[in-house]
Amino acid sequence: MLVNISEIKVKKRVRKDLGDINSLKDSLKRYGLLNPITIDSKNRLIAGERRLEAAKALGATGLNVFTKV
């Protein structure tokens, strides 16, 4: 399912430092998003914060997501 990035809510996360996302950005440019991020039914991020931030940095407006109900 394609979801607008602006609709994805990132709540308190365990990981504080996302590290260097440059290689992830390069991978997204070259291959696209191979593993969709996971959100719940209220568009709250469950998994994939690094992928989400890399996509935002590349100027993406929408992402394919897996929705966990």
Side-chain angles (χ1 to χ4, degrees):
M1 171 171 65
L2 185 65
V3 173
N4 190 327
I5 286 179
S6 65
E7 296 175 6
I8 299 172
K9 301 168 195 84
V10 179
K11 299 294 182 179
K12 183 178 177 185
R13 309 293 293 173
V14 173
R15 183 187 294 216
K16 302 295 183 209
D17 181 14
L18 298 178
D20 182 19
I21 61 171
N22 288 323
S23 61
L24 183 53
K25 288 180 356 187
D26 291 342
S27 176
L28 283 174
K29 281 192 277 189
R30 179 175 285 153
Y31 305 110
L33 185 63
L34 300 177
N35 295 309
I37 66 171
T38 304
I39 60 173
D40 67 10
S41 60
K42 295 181 180 180
N43 288 347
R44 292 178 297 206
L45 184 68
I46 295 172
E49 185 175 16
R50 285 175 41 84
R51 288 170 275 164
L52 176 62
E53 292 305 319
K56 284 180 183 179
L58 291 173
T61 56
L63 280 179
N64 284 317
V65 299
F66 173 74
T67 304
K68 184 174 183 178
V69 180

